[in-house]
Amino acid sequence: MEKKFYSLRLNELKQTVSQLQVFLRKHKAQRSLSQLKSLINKINNLITELKSFFELGYLRQIIKPAAIALGLSFGITANAQNFAPAVENPFGFVPELEFLMTSFADLDNDGDLDILAISYGYDGTNETTNFVYLENNGTSSNALFNSRMSTPFGLDTPLEGVSFPVLADFDDDGDADLLVFGYYGANLFFENTGTASSPQFASPQINAFGLNNLPDYAYFFFPTAADLDNDGDTDLLLGFYGYDYDTETEINQLLFVKNIGTSSVPNFTTPEINPFGLSTSGYFSLPVLGDVDNDGDLDLFVSGYSYELEDSIIEYFENTGSASSPSFVQQPEGNITGFGDYLAIAQFADIDTDGDDDLFVHINQNGGVWQFYENLNIETNIGTDIINEPISVYPNPAENSFEIQYNGNIKSVELSDVSGRVVYYANTSNKQIDISNLSKGYYLLKITNSDGAIAIRKILKE
């Protein structure tokens, strides 16, 4: 009886995979995002149910065509993760009259994510800045931001001009504190002296935790906070834009500011410039960290402006190192563009509490516009180790061949087209791959190393 039940569920999985492939072949105008999410959720639920009864390799083969088709159907892909097309001003957001610099946290301890922001407005004569609280009045899986409070929780006027907030539990007491960076390295720390459900922020401390050792030629600092070295305390990754008068050059860099104190008493050391192999091409370099590919370490998106593209750009850097020893490799196929002259700032937040990081982009367009990219995930790597060492593909796009840049030993290479059909397979250690016979278009590259671990990359054949 049990075998018959699971056989029926297996047939249901096969049918759902086929339905997803048919759905993705439709014209974009005919696609319903709710239908797409329903099909993906059904596939993931069936996998969870079936993987205790069937071999994992067998299940992977069944879902592989759907995962490949999904990965090649949307323009924003971070390794095996796929972001849905942008939805503008969702969750009750309304276009703002001013630009918002935002940070997400559950400020009232009700199980969903709220937003604390600093608003900036300029009427041609005067600048205005204020703290703004956007409470999530929805649920953990269905957000609704329909209320707005100025100067919340005892927070009065932030730093003068454009300033950037980051929320984190800097003193390890179970609630979210606030750190704000402004012009020329000015920074304020607001300790949350209230509770996790009823915040109250104390008077600000200037240059707290040793944050007086930042470069003095920076105009702006753009903060994000996380435990980057997995030692149990909160570190900082800062983007900054400045001008070196000695060399008369503009400077755009990323700084790692390691916490050498403790989780409850931070002490930030001298910044390390462009750490973990990082360098960016855009101006302003606003970083945000999140585990985009669900492999247990923090990946990175960096927002900025590209004079070469004449467009804002959000660059994707995959962490191919580990949770305690990051190493970031830029993955151009995961970059986001198309914002024009408007500065677009990315933030990660698991807004639907489904276990993966979704992407929010706030665009300085006619005040401010929100875009939301939901992280859609099919569990393509069930039972499979992921290659954790740096691995990249060059060039990409490629015309006739590309090279797999990887220090380890390769066992096999596989390329699949948009239908999920394998168009190239080789048991080889050769890292130079000839694609001259393939048609133009997108392909998914699967690399397996000598230990059986895999990496997935997206390739454009020109």
Side-chain angles (χ1 to χ4, degrees):
M1 185 68 182
E2 184 182 35
K3 183 177 180 181
K4 183 178 181 181
F5 171 78
Y6 281 109
S7 295
L8 291 173
R9 301 298 276 174
L10 183 66
N11 287 333
E12 187 176 355
L13 175 63
K14 293 177 180 178
Q15 291 171 5
T16 308
V17 167
S18 297
Q19 290 171 5
L20 179 58
Q21 289 179 276
V22 171
F23 174 88
L24 292 172
R25 285 196 290 269
K26 293 181 180 179
H27 189 275
K28 288 185 178 181
Q30 298 177 303
R31 297 178 186 173
S32 161
L33 183 58
S34 60
Q35 184 181 358
L36 174 62
K37 290 167 61 177
S38 176
L39 289 169
I40 291 173
N41 288 337
K42 186 174 181 181
I43 289 172
N44 285 332
N45 289 336
L46 285 166
I47 290 170
T48 300
E49 186 176 348
L50 292 168
K51 65 183 181 182
S52 62
F53 195 82
F54 292 97
E55 291 288 336
L56 295 176
Y58 178 55
L59 293 177
R60 284 198 299 272
Q61 288 301 117
I62 292 173
I63 66 174
K64 178 182 173 182
I68 290 173
L70 178 65
L72 296 176
S73 293
F74 297 116
I76 303 172
T77 305
N79 197 5
Q81 301 299 300
N82 305 281
F83 290 95
V87 177
E88 191 165 295
N89 292 324
F91 310 125
F93 287 129
V94 296
E96 305 289 345
L97 298 178
E98 68 279 279
F99 195 33
L100 292 183
M101 281 59 72
T102 62
S103 188
F104 285 81
D106 185 5
L107 282 166
D108 50 8
N109 202 30
D110 63 350
D112 55 40
L113 292 174
D114 310 295
I115 297 173
L116 185 66
I118 296 176
S119 68
Y120 173 80
Y122 180 65
D123 61 8
T125 304
N126 299 308
E127 292 180 309
T128 57
T129 56
N130 289 290
F131 285 108
V132 176
Y133 174 51
L134 302 175
E135 183 181 358
N136 185 348
N137 291 310
T139 66
S140 59
S141 59
N142 190 16
L144 178 62
F145 296 94
N146 62 353
S147 67
R148 172 182 173 133
M149 180 192 305
S150 296
T151 61
F153 314 126
L155 293 167
D156 197 354
T157 305
L159 291 163
E160 181 181 354
V162 181
S163 48
F164 297 84
V166 59
L167 290 163
D169 187 4
F170 287 100
D171 52 8
D172 198 24
D173 63 350
D175 53 36
D177 308 298
L178 174 65
L179 189 59
V180 177
F181 284 82
Y183 290 143
Y184 304 108
N187 59 85
L188 299 176
F189 172 66
F190 298 82
E191 182 185 357
N192 186 349
T193 56
T195 64
S197 57
S198 182
Q200 189 69 25
F201 291 96
S203 298
Q205 303 173 41
I206 300 173
N207 294 330
F209 314 129
L211 286 172
N212 57 352
N213 54 3
L214 302 175
D216 58 7
Y217 47 81
Y219 293 150
F220 298 109
F221 284 96
F222 314 112
T224 187
D227 185 4
L228 267 167
D229 50 8
N230 202 31
D231 63 350
D233 55 35
T234 301
D235 308 298
L236 293 173
L237 186 66
L238 303 177
F240 85 91
Y241 169 75
Y243 188 85
D244 188 335
Y245 289 95
D246 292 333
T247 60
E248 297 183 349
T249 55
E250 290 182 292
I251 298 175
N252 292 272
Q253 293 175 330
L254 292 166
L255 303 178
F256 174 50
V257 191
K258 178 177 172 57
N259 184 355
I260 58 173
T262 66
S263 59
S264 58
V265 185
N267 181 20
F268 292 107
T269 189
T270 302
E272 178 185 348
I273 297 175
N274 288 338
F276 315 123
L278 286 168
S279 64
T280 63
S281 61
Y283 282 77
F284 301 122
S285 300
L286 292 85
V288 59
L289 292 159
D291 186 4
V292 180
D293 49 11
N294 262 355
D295 64 350
D297 55 37
L298 293 171
D299 307 294
L300 176 69
F301 274 7
V302 179
S303 307
Y305 184 81
S306 170
Y307 286 111
E308 180 182 355
L309 298 175
E310 296 183 346
D311 191 3
S312 279
I313 182 171
I314 300 175
E315 298 176 278
Y316 170 56
F317 297 83
E318 182 187 356
N319 186 351
T320 57
S322 65
S324 58
S325 182
S327 179
F328 293 98
V329 175
Q330 187 171 8
Q331 305 293 353
E333 66 270 23
N335 292 351
I336 313 172
T337 56
F339 305 105
D341 286 334
Y342 304 105
L343 181 61
I345 301 178
Q347 287 281 353
F348 284 126
D350 184 9
I351 199 67
D352 48 11
T353 61
D354 63 350
D356 52 41
D357 284 320
D358 307 300
L359 180 65
F360 286 84
V361 178
H362 194 260
I363 308 166
N364 183 15
Q365 177 182 359
N366 301 324
V369 173
W370 291 90
Q371 286 186 354
F372 171 64
Y373 301 82
E374 183 177 1
N375 193 341
L376 303 174
N377 177 27
I378 293 181
E379 296 294 341
T380 58
N381 297 321
I382 48 175
T384 305
D385 291 330
I386 307 300
I387 295 176
N388 288 319
E389 296 85 12
I391 187 167
S392 59
V393 176
Y394 182 83
N396 188 15
E399 291 187 11
N400 297 310
S401 65
F402 62 84
E403 180 185 3
I404 299 170
Q405 298 178 330
Y406 173 53
N407 290 332
N409 296 318
I410 291 176
K411 178 182 177 182
S412 66
V413 175
E414 178 180 300
L415 283 165
S416 302
D417 66 12
V418 293
S419 69
R421 181 172 60 96
V422 176
V423 296
Y424 177 95
Y425 181 85
N427 283 309
T428 179
S429 60
N430 186 11
K431 298 177 182 178
Q432 193 73 31
I433 307 301
D434 182 3
I435 55 172
S436 57
N437 293 327
L438 297 183
S439 301
K440 294 181 178 180
Y442 282 103
Y443 296 86
L444 279 194
L445 168 68
K446 178 182 175 182
I447 303 162
T448 305
N449 71 9
S450 56
D451 296 323
I454 68 168
I456 306 292
R457 295 293 182 268
K458 188 175 179 180
I459 297 292
L460 175 59
K461 166 69 160 55
E462 290 188 332

